[in-house]
Amino acid sequence: MPPTARPVWSSPTKNPATASPTIQPTANPVETLPPVTPAPISLAPVPVTTTTTSTTTTTTTTTTPAPLSSAPATSAPSTKFPTRGPTQSPTFTTCGNDKCESYESINTCPSDCSNVIFTAHNNGTSGASGIMFDLSASRNVVITSLDIYTDNIRNDAIEVFTRSGSYSGHEVNETGWVLIYSKNVIQKGRFNLTQLGDFEYGVSIQGGDTQAFYIYSNYTIMYDTGTEEGAVSNNDTSLTIYQGAVAVCYDFYCLLILTLFLGAGIASEKFPGTVPTQVVYSPRVFKGNIKYHVLAPKSCQLMTSE
C-alpha cells in the first residue's frame, strides 16, 4: 500500500487585520443637562442656582439677589424751562398795613397811599411870620395840605405859596411863586396842630423833582433852628424835606421903609423885595405835617392834580 501523501503545511496566514482600538472616542459624548425652570419673581429673596458642567468638574454657586421693590418703576420727572417772566403780575398782600410800599400807589392801594401824613418835625420853640423849605420826591406824589404850629390861639389868615425848584435865590421876590392856599384858620397854638385843610389844588411833584413851599402868617409860624441850610431834615418812602430859611424885616430901618413906602407893617409883608435892610435867616426847620397822595408811574397815572 502506497504511503499517503504527506500533508502540505501552508504557512499560516498573517495575523488577522483587526483595527487597533482608537485612543479617543470618535466624538465627545453628549451630556444632556436637566431642564432649568426659572424661579418665580417674588417679593421675598429667592436663591438662584447656577450650574457649570465640564467633563471633569461640576461647580455649583448660589447667590441671593436683593429683594425687588414693589413700587412701580418711574422715570425721571420732566422739568420745563422756566418762563422769562410771570404770566401776570404777582399779587401782594401788604395793602392795608398803613404804609405805602414802593410797589403801591393810590390806584392799587388807596387805603395806604392816599392822605399819607409825613411828620417833618415836631420840635422847636422859635418862630417868625413865615418859613420856606424845599421838598424832593422819590416817586410821583401830589401834595394836598399842611399841618402847622402857631404861636398862639386865634382865628386869622394863613397863606401857602409854591414854586417849581428850590426857594434859594427867591426868598425876597414873589416872582415865580404861586398862591395855592389863603384862608382864615382857627390856629391852635404851640402844642396842638393847626390843620389847614386841602389846598385850592394839589401840587404834583414828579419822582426826582424838587418843589419849594412858603407858609406865611400875619403872626407867627413855629419852626426849629437847624444846623445847615439845604441839609436833609427828614424823609419817608416818598419825600425828603430840607432845612430852609425865613425872610424877615425886623430892624427899625426896614420897618420904617415898609411903613412909609409900602403902607404896610412888617407882619403883613410876605416878600420884602428890594428893601435894603431885608434879612434872610437860615437854617430853619419846618415844624408840622405834610399830607400827600402817591400816584402810579406816569405811564399809567389816572389821577391829576386838579
Side-chain angles (χ1 to χ4, degrees), residues 143-196:
I143 309 301
T144 60
S145 184
L146 297 171
D147 298 336
I148 63 172
Y149 289 93
T150 59
D151 66 327
N152 215 328
I153 299 174
R154 63 173 65 87
N155 186 349
D156 199 66
I158 299 288
E159 294 180 316
V160 179
F161 299 81
T162 190
R163 63 176 297 120
S164 178
S166 176
Y167 69 84
S168 181
H170 308 281
E171 295 93 335
V172 299
N173 194 324
E174 64 181 334
T175 302
W177 289 96
V178 178
L179 180 66
I180 58 172
Y181 182 91
S182 180
K183 290 182 181 180
N184 274 21
V185 178
I186 298 177
Q187 301 172 19
K188 297 184 178 180
R190 299 181 178 219
F191 306 107
N192 296 289
L193 281 168
T194 298
Q195 299 184 13
L196 301 185

Side-chain angles (χ1 to χ4, degrees), residues 7 20 48 160 184 199 229 254 262 276:
S20 301
V48 177
V160 179
N184 274 21
F199 295 154
E229 184 179 8
C254 180
L262 300 179

Side-chain angles (χ1 to χ4, degrees), residues 103-240:
Y103 47 80
E104 296 175 336
S105 71
I106 193 173
N107 305 105
T108 61
C109 186
S111 63
D112 291 349
C113 300
S114 64
N115 299 312
V116 180
I117 298 176
F118 169 37
T119 300
H121 198 65
N122 55 12
N123 294 317
T125 56
S126 299
S129 57
I131 181 171
M132 300 177 182
F133 57 87
D134 290 341
L135 276 180
S136 66
S138 59
R139 49 183 170 170
N140 299 345
V141 299
V142 173
I143 309 301
T144 60
S145 184
L146 297 171
D147 298 336
I148 63 172
Y149 289 93
T150 59
D151 66 327
N152 215 328
I153 299 174
R154 63 173 65 87
N155 186 349
D156 199 66
I158 299 288
E159 294 180 316
V160 179
F161 299 81
T162 190
R163 63 176 297 120
S164 178
S166 176
Y167 69 84
S168 181
H170 308 281
E171 295 93 335
V172 299
N173 194 324
E174 64 181 334
T175 302
W177 289 96
V178 178
L179 180 66
I180 58 172
Y181 182 91
S182 180
K183 290 182 181 180
N184 274 21
V185 178
I186 298 177
Q187 301 172 19
K188 297 184 178 180
R190 299 181 178 219
F191 306 107
N192 296 289
L193 281 168
T194 298
Q195 299 184 13
L196 301 185
D198 290 343
F199 295 154
E200 184 177 345
Y201 57 88
V203 180
S204 294
I205 309 176
Q206 298 296 313
D209 289 349
T210 298
Q211 190 80 15
F213 289 85
Y214 176 26
I215 310 169
Y216 178 80
S217 168
N218 290 327
Y219 292 92
T220 301
I221 304 294
M222 303 303 297
Y223 55 72
D224 194 14
T225 301
T227 57
E228 180 183 354
E229 184 179 8
V232 173
S233 173
N234 201 359
N235 56 37
D236 67 0
T237 58
S238 304
L239 296 175
T240 299

Side-chain angles (χ1 to χ4, degrees), residues 23-47:
I23 298 176
Q24 294 181 347
T26 57
N28 290 330
V30 178
E31 183 177 357
T32 302
L33 297 176
V36 178
T37 301
I41 297 176
S42 172
L43 296 179
V46 178

